[in-house]
Amino acid sequence: MKKLTLALALTLGLAAALPTLAQAREVTFTTELKSYGGDGAYVALYLTDANGRYQDTLWIAGEKSKYYKHLRDWARGSGLRSSEYDGLTGASVGSGRTLNITLDIADELIDAGYQVRVDTAVEDMRDNRADIVIPLTAKSAGQLFTGRGYVESFRYTF
């Protein structure tokens, strides 16, 4: 009986010592593009720290990786390494269309000084670094932001 009790105590002690798994929440990012009269836009949605240093790719819209270099700030931060965007890509976004992406974001990233950034580019048209730059905070959630380039409006909701 003592061996069973000791084993149970060790098991419970080990379980209590393990760190708890990080909590995440579902976040929907909505990017509506202006009607600009050109080909589909390439869009990079990514996170930076408070100083603008690249941290992580959330999504890339645009299927041909040879054009990713036009998403300049994202390209510089990610180093254009395929490991930074594998499994995080989809079709380009047409003029006047909306891109909706829903992802699980760790709670520890919200209200921790991170920024959501969006870079945009359209073939034979202007590239827009930092089309959107907003803090990843509970206060910013649900607010509508206007871009500086092809982005008509952007918001994220929990």
Side-chain angles (χ1 to χ4, degrees), residues 31-100:
T31 308
E32 181 184 350
L33 298 186
K34 295 175 182 174
S35 293
Y36 52 80
D39 291 332
Y42 277 66
V43 179
L45 179 65
Y46 59 105
L47 292 179
T48 65
D49 65 15
N51 296 317
R53 288 184 299 248
Y54 172 85
Q55 298 297 307
D56 197 21
T57 299
L58 298 174
W59 191 259
I60 300 295
E63 295 172 336
K64 295 181 181 176
S65 61
K66 69 181 182 178
Y67 296 120
Y68 292 174
K69 65 185 175 191
H70 295 283
L71 302 167
R72 294 178 191 216
D73 284 354
W74 171 81
R76 185 175 354 106
S78 70
L80 293 173
R81 292 180 302 274
S82 62
S83 61
E84 292 293 313
Y85 57 82
D86 279 347
L88 302 173
T89 61
S92 59
V93 184
S95 172
R97 300 286 183 141
T98 301
L99 173 67
N100 287 303

